[in-house]
Amino acid sequence: MLSRTADNLFWMSRYVERAENIARVLHAASRMASVPGTSDGITNEWESALAASACLDAFVASGREVNAENVFEYLAFAEDNPASIRRCLEIARSNARAVRTALTYDTWEAINGAWIDMDRFRSADVSPSGLNRFISWVKEVSLRVDGSAYRTMLRNDAYWFSRLGVYIERADNTARILDVKYHVLLPETEPVGGGLDYFHWSTILRSVSALTAYHWVYRDSIKPWLVADLLILREEMPRSLASCYANLATFLDELARTYGRQGESQRQARRLHARLRNARTEEIFQGGLHEFLQSFIAENNRLGTAITEQYLV
């Protein structure tokens, strides 16, 4: 396969996954903001949504005021934000169009149809019904693209490159959501384990569709270290860091077998996967959850660079 084709498949999947994750972050922020008195006047839930999406610095530099309408508009529709949902779907569609013949009809229709439907959502309707309708639509688009690829694409290098994009992006976003909760969302005046802390952690779990899974696995009230355990170390949880790296190692090994050669990306993926499998939640908290997540995000970025240098340029 041409490196240009592999690059388009990789980034097509990354941008669809990124659009879904931004929608999930917006959903979490809107739920937190709906609770009276959750803001301490220093930070707020909408600012945390910008931080989770790695857009806070660019948003501040644009001169916009942090409020529900501005943040929703910036993360969902802004043309000057390369990470807005609109821009993500536009770039994903452009990538898909460049490799139209490498995709099945269903996968192409899912992406192209989403870009056409996007015109129905031109303004930032921050009413609960308007925001929920838009977020549900974005998640449905991602499920449609992911499901059509899973059901219809041949298990060959085109499919494996597209899956690498999904899991690199998903690992990055799960780590960022956990990290922002730990440092930004809980006001210093609120006790750890208090009512607001409980609500925030449950909202984090809802934002990644993991609340029901949490209760099935732990059969306990919501505790920060158990949330971290579920979203970092449990491979049976599809959005966990361990699950993402199990898939990354598997699909990189498939590419190595196909092309008859292993490289730095395979070694990095296996090394980080083994570290996650051998880690313990107690050790992560003793060393600092923030430090662990920041280190993980940096290593995840290095794996993305290794994949690019090995296959995409």
Side-chain angles (χ1 to χ4, degrees):
M1 173 178 287
L2 293 173
S3 59
R4 185 173 53 190
T5 302
D7 184 69
N8 279 312
L9 289 164
F10 179 78
W11 282 103
M12 174 196 76
S13 296
R14 284 199 71 161
Y15 276 108
V16 172
E17 183 73 18
R18 188 172 299 179
E20 179 193 344
N21 279 296
I22 293 170
R24 289 180 180 277
V25 168
L26 281 170
H27 191 204
S30 71
R31 283 183 57 83
M32 291 177 185
S34 68
V35 177
T38 57
S39 174
D40 62 355
I42 298 173
T43 184
N44 63 45
E45 295 71 19
W46 294 104
E47 187 173 307
S48 75
L50 292 165
S53 306
C55 293
L56 182 57
D57 291 342
F59 182 90
V60 172
S62 73
R64 294 173 168 92
E65 180 186 355
V66 178
N67 57 43
E69 185 170 346
N70 287 345
V71 173
F72 183 32
E73 192 276 338
Y74 189 75
L75 291 181
F77 305 107
E79 292 287 345
D80 60 336
N81 176 16
S84 71
I85 291 172
R86 168 179 278 275
R87 292 284 291 137
C88 285
L89 292 180
E90 182 181 12
I91 298 170
R93 193 255 188 181
S94 176
N95 288 132
R97 188 177 184 182
V99 291
R100 171 69 186 85
T101 55
L103 300 174
T104 62
Y105 173 83
D106 294 304
T107 304
W108 162 250
E109 280 298 298
I111 295 177
N112 191 47
W115 174 241
I116 294 171
D117 285 349
M118 185 74 201
D119 284 342
R120 292 192 292 125
F121 303 95
R122 285 186 174 278
S123 60
D125 178 5
V126 293
S127 66
S129 61
L131 192 144
N132 288 334
R133 187 165 54 248
F134 177 71
I135 288 170
S136 296
W137 175 79
V138 176
K139 289 195 287 188
E140 183 182 328
V141 165
S142 180
L143 287 171
R144 202 180 306 146
V145 173
D146 201 51
S148 63
Y150 180 78
R151 286 170 176 260
T152 63
M153 287 183 70
L154 282 173
R155 269 37 177 182
N156 58 14
D157 47 358
Y159 179 75
W160 297 323
F161 278 119
S162 72
R163 301 313 291 174
L164 291 179
V166 169
Y167 289 112
I168 280 279
E169 189 69 28
R170 186 173 297 174
D172 180 84
N173 280 278
T174 298
R176 288 182 186 278
I177 287 173
L178 268 175
D179 196 31
V180 167
K181 168 65 192 88
Y182 188 73
H183 272 289
V184 177
L185 292 180
L186 185 64
E188 293 182 359
T189 54
E190 288 288 335
V192 174
L196 181 57
D197 193 31
Y198 177 92
F199 178 77
H200 282 173
W201 282 110
S202 68
T203 300
I204 290 296
L205 287 170
R206 286 181 189 277
S207 73
V208 292
S209 301
L211 184 58
T212 301
Y214 178 94
H215 290 301
W216 281 347
V217 171
Y218 301 106
R219 300 185 183 283
D220 198 351
S221 59
I222 294 175
K223 297 180 172 64
W225 51 92
L226 294 183
V227 175
D229 182 69
L230 181 69
L231 296 183
I232 294 174
L233 302 180
R234 301 296 292 243
E235 282 197 20
E236 65 267 45
M237 178 63 212
R239 304 191 74 85
S240 73
L241 307 187
S243 176
C244 290
Y245 267 77
N247 283 288
L248 285 166
T250 297
F251 294 124
L252 282 166
D253 283 344
E254 294 281 7
L255 287 171
R257 277 190 287 273
T258 297
Y259 296 140
R261 183 179 179 182
Q262 298 211 10
E264 182 59 25
S265 61
Q266 281 82 13
R267 287 189 286 274
Q268 283 192 26
R270 281 199 292 268
R271 188 163 57 240
L272 190 46
H273 182 215
R275 195 183 308 167
L276 290 167
R277 296 189 75 175
N278 294 321
R280 296 290 179 271
T281 311
E282 298 80 5
E283 296 170 354
I284 292 173
F285 272 80
Q286 284 173 3
L289 180 60
H290 171 69
E291 288 73 13
F292 174 86
L293 293 170
Q294 286 299 304
S295 173
F296 174 84
I297 290 170
E299 291 198 65
N300 192 57
N301 287 338
R302 280 195 286 275
L303 177 59
T305 301
I307 292 172
T308 299
E309 292 176 347
Q310 189 172 339
Y311 293 113
L312 309 182
V313 295

